[in-house]
Structures are given as C-alpha cells and as structure tokens.
Amino acid sequence: KSLGKHGDIFRSVRKNDILLHHPFQSFNPVIEMLEQAAEDPNVVAIKQTVYRTGTDSVIMKYLIDAAQRGKEVTVVVELLARFDEEANLNYAAKLEEVGAHVIYGVVGYKTHAKMLLVVRREDGALRRYAHLSTGNYHPRTAKQYTDFGLLTANEEICTDVDAVFKQLTGLGRARSLSHLWVSPFTLHERIITAIKREIRHAKACKPAHVIAKMNSLLEPKVIEALYAASRAGVKVDLIVRGVCALRPGIPGLSEHIRVRSIIGRFLEHTRIFYFLNDGAEDVHLSSADWMERNFFRRIELCFPLLDPRLKQRVIKEGLKVYLADNNQAWDMDSNGNYHRRRSHGRVPRPAQEQLLALLAARKDSLARSLRQHRRRHRGVRAFRGRACSAA
C-alpha cells in the first residue's frame, strides 16, 4: 500500500510510527520514502547502510539520484556481504562518482545493521526520519523473507540512529544511546541483563517470560543465562529457524524452555526479543541473531517498539501466531531432535497462512473505510453545492 505521494509519507510518519510486516505487507513504502527524499528539495541529507541490495537495486538508484541533485548522501557499504560483494562494489563506485560519501564498513567488523536516516528542513529547523529493519534493503527478498520494518520520526530514536552513523563514519565517538542496543558495544550485555531481570522477577514470585525469535542461537553466555532463567522458573519460548545449541526440556536445567522452528512458504528471518518485565512487555526488533559473530564481530542494531499499539501487533503477528502453529512447526526434544507438530483432527493453524489471511482482511477493511470516507466527502460537497444554489 502506498502511504501517499508528494511528501505525504513524511506527514504520515510524523503523525505516527508505522510498522511494516514483510512479505505480508508491501516493501513499497520504504522505496517511496527514498524516492520522495531524493526528489524533495527540503531534504538535505540521506544516510543509509547497505548490506544486500541485489544487482538491479532501485534503492541504490534513488541514492545516486539524490547525490546528483546535490543532497548530502552517506552510504555505509558492506563489501563482504555474501553473494552481493560485486554488486555492492559496483554501486559504491557509482555513488562515489556522483559525490556521495561512501564508507566501506568498519575494519574488523561486518556492518549488518539495517538503518536509513533522512534529514529534512521543516519550518526553519531540521527534522529527522528513520527506517529501521530486521531485513535487508532488497525488494526481492522482502517478498520472500519475513521481516519487520519501522518508520519513525521519534526524536530520541532518530538521534540515536544519527549517533550510530557518526560513529560508523568516524565523525563521532561511541556514547550512551537512549533506546538502541548496538553490537559490538551494548547488545550482548543488554540481552543478558534483560534475561537476569526476568530471573529476579521469577524469584520474587512474579510471572516471568522470555520469547525470542531468530535465525540461530549459539552464543554460550546467552545460553547459560537462559538455562539459569529456566532453573529460576522463567518461561522461555524460543523460535529458532536454523541451528540451536540449546537443549530444551532437560530436568533441572531447561524444563521451562521450549524450542521450535517454523518451515513454511516464506523464509523466517525476523529477530524479535520479548521480555515480560513485570507486565511492561518490552519488545525489541533486531538485525542480530544470538551468535558470537553478531554480538562481537558485527555492527548490529536492536531497537524497541515504543508505540503500545505497534508493540501488541508484533506480539500478535510475530510471536503468538508462531507459538500456536500446529501445522508448520517443528519442536525440538531434549536430545536435539525435531518433531513436526500435527493438528490431529483440530483446525490446522499454520502461522504464515494465518498472517496472509489477517493482513489481507486488514487491507480489505482499510479499503472499505477509504471508500466510505470518499462517499461521505462527496455527499458533503454535494449538499454544500445545493445549499449555495438555493441561496
């Protein structure tokens, strides 16, 4: 769905944070944001990380167009992005040719964070807009991988994003951020701290729950923290698409932990970290798996959902529907073997199919609302026209 043309996308994001759930929702608003940013004379700067974009990237074309129009364009390009090394190198050269500021990653660290920042002149001041995502800026994989993206004008989050860009480009030092957790600096520590907080809640006889969805789980200290959480009585649900070194259901060690993998039409790529936190329900989205390389050898980003409405959407669409899947889910036993869940006469509840139906129904409902709004608007104009004629 389009969020509006001729600058309307910025007005939409100013009004409310916007959450996009791919591939169930279109990636077009992200492309629109870049297209409008490139053309809008009020936009003075665009900053973006590029990990995997493809050989024919409309996103890179808009960045090149923006630089040709005289905007300050800064692009952090990861040359070691597997499968896209040549494409990234070619686009980096083209960007440099038109005057963009190109940063070829950080020595010793692969830049895997997904972030975009647009700086716009409004009412005599500068205002920032950000897009943060769990997935790549790649329109084709956005139709094949499950990911969440957030469009926001929240000043504190945008300030954090700007600070990360300054650090990546060598124009700023690492500093304390208000909301973002960043590898290799704070992400690992914050994850461990959040798990330990759930342990304290459990020991205080309060409900405690950790839910994490990711591609891989291998980092030893995080696994140790999850085992400690289980021993304290914390409920732990892990949705891990790929390799998982933790073993659930072992008495005295991991009996409160459940591990499952979802195999469906789309490749599960979303990283979501949920901590009950005494009812506050902290929800973070991230580009990082819980692996040593993501915590210590990559630039990764983890960002919170601050809007309660969007937070509940992620809990519903990104976690609960997957935990309830009885058709495409494979549960791990204490020996590390996987067993496919069967509905056994009950109504099959495949998560991805349910999400397709849910988002389609939401789209239809929105379309009906727009049609009703237009009919009412036409009715008001007709009434005013008749009233003026009578006068």
Side-chain angles (χ1 to χ4, degrees), residues 102-129:
V102 179
I103 308 298
Y104 293 94
V106 178
V107 176
Y109 299 92
K110 184 179 283 190
T111 304
H112 194 245
K114 329 294 184 185
M115 54 183 182
L116 164 66
L117 189 71
V118 175
V119 183
R120 193 167 184 262
R121 188 181 294 108
E122 297 177 4
D123 300 323
L126 295 179
R127 180 148 194 170
R128 291 177 288 213
Y129 299 81

Side-chain angles (χ1 to χ4, degrees), residues 18-25 27 114 131-136 145-151 213 268-272 283-287 303 305 310-319 322 355 359 362:
I18 296 171
L19 183 73
L20 301 172
H21 193 180
H22 312 303
F24 314 103
Q25 290 178 300
F27 189 70
K114 329 294 184 185
H131 173 260
L132 304 172
S133 179
T134 67
N136 298 305
Y145 297 2
T146 67
D147 277 302
F148 277 111
L150 178 71
L151 292 164
K213 185 175 187 292
E268 291 296 333
H269 192 254
T270 315
R271 290 88 166 193
I272 308 170
V283 177
H284 291 77
L285 301 175
S286 182
S287 60
F303 55 98
L305 274 301
L310 300 187
K311 182 195 300 186
Q312 291 305 314
R313 259 196 69 193
V314 170
I315 292 171
K316 178 182 180 181
E317 297 175 20
L319 298 175
Y322 286 96
L355 288 170
L359 273 299
R362 185 176 296 162

Side-chain angles (χ1 to χ4, degrees), residues 157-224:
I157 287 183
C158 289
T159 298
D160 280 0
V161 173
D162 188 53
V164 174
F165 270 115
K166 286 179 179 177
Q167 188 174 352
L168 289 175
T169 56
L171 298 176
R173 296 181 179 180
R175 66 173 184 81
S176 177
L177 303 176
S178 299
H179 296 289
L180 301 187
W181 301 349
V182 182
S183 287
F185 305 107
T186 59
L187 179 55
H188 185 259
E189 175 191 348
R190 294 296 181 89
I191 293 295
I192 297 290
T193 298
I195 295 172
K196 288 182 175 179
R197 184 177 57 203
E198 294 303 308
I199 293 174
R200 291 197 300 272
H201 290 318
K203 289 182 176 179
C205 298
K206 297 178 180 179
H209 196 182
V210 174
I211 312 175
K213 185 175 187 292
M214 67 198 78
N215 296 331
S216 301
L217 172 55
L218 288 172
E219 206 283 315
K221 289 187 178 179
V222 170
I223 292 174
E224 290 174 7

